[in-house]
């Protein structure tokens, strides 16, 4: 434990942050400063302007957030789809404090690491093996967040194929196998590779980069690096593409195989997907899809990369793919790993990939054999300590089961309040991932109104017609009823507008 000497604080004295010690920034000060200096994710300058539009949080307790004016909000988004355990847990803060006082950082490069990073990898590999026998002996690469985990998983896939040719698998001509297939309506992050997988993003990523070369180049299989299929869900599948007698799961699986064949199996590295689409609006997949997708991917030597970044520990299982009983080759997790208390993530992958990509090397180490990939914050000792503690809490308090139970209860409440409203197309949920699908592209307006007028935090999907709720397990029924009732009032007030703005963003 640190002494008063190295803390430089007396009992009861508060730490003052920012502005060279300017202690009491008012809401107006903060708003003006925010408007002048900060750029917000998925933001627009107009969202930071105007009377009372910006919300500046200062503290949280359980499912309640408080802003700098003292106003309380019900956090149905769990921070940013991360805070399974709720806000303000002192036990996690204590772990961080103690670890920071002992060792705040160390390198995880080459032959360096720290005790917590090692333990976390063992723990995650064990959890994966508990979920799927194929994950026995799985390897773990630690990250700080989600998108960078997807980048690392992709790099791993490239390396696997680069090394696999001479060692027995059918493809191995350098980096020829490098294309990615993903679902429409996905979200895998905002760095280059994940952004390129989302067809609806046009500002940044591969599509933007290639557009200048003309459509015939951009859309030709010989140049196209990223392509998409419909998610196997009744509201997201283009029914005109279905064949008689097929269900949406079978139709999407057929699309996947056709796409692999169209692109050339020798060029497709991986199929990347969320087991339950998060940002897309809690979209779960038809149960027939993944078993078929697994056969298809195996047939064409395409790796399955499950983006479990949001679904980890939220669906009533540790991993969302347990819903379907299908083990992917690589899983990427983040968000719930520390339950929001610090940034952390991990790439967990089957041992056969490790054996091929790294372990079958000659005894002489070549520079080209080194994993040319590193994140400064990989295996951070404090983040790893907090992750280990969060996993202990989830385990010891049986929160995986509780999450399934609370999710069902939340869903019942949401359905009883919202089903039957004209603007509501569907209310759905898997564990604590809950979605409200609207008939119109008005989700962002709903998100804003429910936030500013009712003090409810939830999230509009980037597809504009869904709302996503990921409430912490600790939110009470009474609190959740208030969330659902407020949402009902706001949705009713939008009935006329909704009618005149039937969804354009729904892509079928
Ligand atoms: C399913 C999924 N994948 C990837 C990401 C990106 O994670 P990060 O923002 O940590 O890069 C997110 C973030 O919301 C996500 O929900």
């Amino acid at each position: 434990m640190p002494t008063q000497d190295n803390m430089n604080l007396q009992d009861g004295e508060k730490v003052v942050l920012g502005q060279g010690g300017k202690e009491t920034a008012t809401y107006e000060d903060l708003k003006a400063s925010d408007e002048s200096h900060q750029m917000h994710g998925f933001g627009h300058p107009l969202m930071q302007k105007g009377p009372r539009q910006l919300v500046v949080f200062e503290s949280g307790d359980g499912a309640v957030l408080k802003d700098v004016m003292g106003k309380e909000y019900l956090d149905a988004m769990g921070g940013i789809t991360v805070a399974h355990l709720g806000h303000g847990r002192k036990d996690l803060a204590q772990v961080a404090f103690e670890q920071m006082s002992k060792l705040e950082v160390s390198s995880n490069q080459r032959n360096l690491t720290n005790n917590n990073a090692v333990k976390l990898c063992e723990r995650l590999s064990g959890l994966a093996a508990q979920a799927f026998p194929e994950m026995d002996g799985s390897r773990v690469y630690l990250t700080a967040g989600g998108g960078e985990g997807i980048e690392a998983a992709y790099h791993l896939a490239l390396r696997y194929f680069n090394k696999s040719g001479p060692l027995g698998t059918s493809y191995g001509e350098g980096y020829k196998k490098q294309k990615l297939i993903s679902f429409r309506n996905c979200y895998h992050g905002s760095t280059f590779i994940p952004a390129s997988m989302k067809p609806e993003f046009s500002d940044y990523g591969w599509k933007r980069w290639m557009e200048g070369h003309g459509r015939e180049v951009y859309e030709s299989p010989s140049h196209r690096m990223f392509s998409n299929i419909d998610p196997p869900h009744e509201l997201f599948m283009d029914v005109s593409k279905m064949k008689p007698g097929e269900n949406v799961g079978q139709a999407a699986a057929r699309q996947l195989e056709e796409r692999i064949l169209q692109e050339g199996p020798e060029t497709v590295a991986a199929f990347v997907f969320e087991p339950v689409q998060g940002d897309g609006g809690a979209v779960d997949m038809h149960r027939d899809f993944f078993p078929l997708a697994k056969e298809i991917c195996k047939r064409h030597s395409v790796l399955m990369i499950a983006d479990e970044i949001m679904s980890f520990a939220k669906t009533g299982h540790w991993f969302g793919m347990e819903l379907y009983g299908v083990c992917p080759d690589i899983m990427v997790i983040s968000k719930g790993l520390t339950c929001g208390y610090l940034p952390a993530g991990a790439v967990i992958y089957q041992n056969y990939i490790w054996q091929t990509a790294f372990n079958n090397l000659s005894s002489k180490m070549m520079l080209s054999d080194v994993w040319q990939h590193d994140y400064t914050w990989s295996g951070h000792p404090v983040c790893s300590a907090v992750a280990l503690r969060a996993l202990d809490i989830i385990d010891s308090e049986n929160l995986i089961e509780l999450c399934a139970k609370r999710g069902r209860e939340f869903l019942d409440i949401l359905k009883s309040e919202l089903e039957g409203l004209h603007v509501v197309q569907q209310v759905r949920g898997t564990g604590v991932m809950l979605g409200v699908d609207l008939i119109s592209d008005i989700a962002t307006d709903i998100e804003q109104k429910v936030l500013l007028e009712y003090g409810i935090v939830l999230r509009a999907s980037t597809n504009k017609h869904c709302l996503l709720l990921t409430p912490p397990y600790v939110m009470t029924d009474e609190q959740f009823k208030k969330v659902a009732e407020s949402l009902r009032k706001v949705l009713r007030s939008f009935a006329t507008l909704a009618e005149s703005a039937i969804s354009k963003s729904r892509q079928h």
Side-chain angles (χ1 to χ4, degrees), residues 78-286:
I80 172 158
T81 67
V82 291
H84 301 49
L85 301 175
H87 301 285
R89 283 195 69 136
K90 301 284 182 291
D91 47 357
L92 287 163
Q94 185 67 25
V95 168
F97 175 78
E98 284 176 13
Q99 181 58 45
M100 220 177 265
S101 314
K102 201 155 54 177
L103 176 68
E104 85 293 1
V105 76
S106 69
S107 169
N108 221 32
Q109 291 182 348
R110 304 205 168 97
N111 54 343
L112 304 175
T113 190
N114 64 78
N115 50 346
N116 296 330
V118 175
K119 283 193 229 165
L120 182 57
C121 291
E122 182 180 342
R123 187 75 192 278
L124 291 174
S125 175
L127 280 180
Q130 193 182 303
F132 305 107
E134 298 97 315
M135 281 285 173
D136 194 28
S138 51
R139 285 271 149 183
V140 180
Y141 180 65
L142 297 173
T143 69
E148 67 192 63
I150 298 288
E151 299 271 357
Y154 178 53
H155 187 171
L156 188 62
L158 292 185
R159 186 182 172 106
Y160 168 75
F161 286 116
N162 196 33
K163 297 287 176 193
S164 63
L167 295 170
T169 53
S170 42
Y171 305 108
E173 298 164 344
Y175 282 100
K176 201 169 171 200
K177 222 164 151 56
Q178 57 188 353
K179 293 183 182 178
L180 294 177
I181 298 176
S182 53
F183 283 134
R184 270 196 310 99
N185 198 49
C186 64
Y187 182 71
H188 298 292
S190 290
T191 54
F192 193 83
I193 295 293
S196 301
M197 283 192 277
K198 186 168 177 64
E200 298 88 354
F201 281 180
S202 54
D203 256 11
Y204 182 63
W206 180 258
K207 190 170 164 190
R208 178 61 186 259
W209 199 12
M210 289 300 286
E211 260 167 5
H213 297 275
R215 244 193 148 69
E216 65 290 353
V217 174
Y218 165 59
E219 287 190 350
S220 73
S222 54
H223 289 87
R224 181 170 48 203
M225 274 286 296
F226 300 88
S227 61
N228 305 93
I229 59 167
D230 289 339
H233 184 280
E234 50 179 336
L235 292 183
F236 292 88
M237 163 67 61
D238 180 348
V239 286
S240 70
K241 292 186 199 152
M242 287 174 69
K243 291 196 170 155
E246 271 183 342
N247 64 36
V248 289
Q250 293 158 344
R254 180 178 48 74
Q255 271 191 34
L256 175 63
E257 184 151 35
E258 284 169 3
R259 180 53 52 87
I260 293 171
L261 292 171
Q262 189 185 0
E263 297 297 322
E266 72 288 358
T267 67
V268 181
F271 169 45
V272 187
F273 53 85
E274 295 156 88
V276 178
Q277 289 187 330
D279 167 75
V283 181
D284 64 319
M285 308 299 171
H286 191 284

Side-chain angles (χ1 to χ4, degrees), residues 286-336:
H286 191 284
R287 295 301 186 265
D288 284 355
F289 175 75
F290 282 114
L292 291 170
K294 176 140 186 164
E295 281 171 26
I296 292 164
C297 287
K298 207 164 176 193
R299 192 152 53 239
H300 300 294
S301 291
V302 169
L303 295 180
M304 290 179 83
I305 300 179
D307 177 344
E308 297 262 6
I309 289 159
M310 195 186 294
S311 54
F312 179 69
K314 274 202 194 67
T315 64
H317 301 274
W318 280 105
F319 301 98
M321 285 307 283
E322 290 175 75
L323 290 165
Y324 311 100
V326 171
C327 180
D329 299 278
I330 302 176
M331 298 192 285
V332 185
I333 66 169
S334 183
K335 293 192 182 269

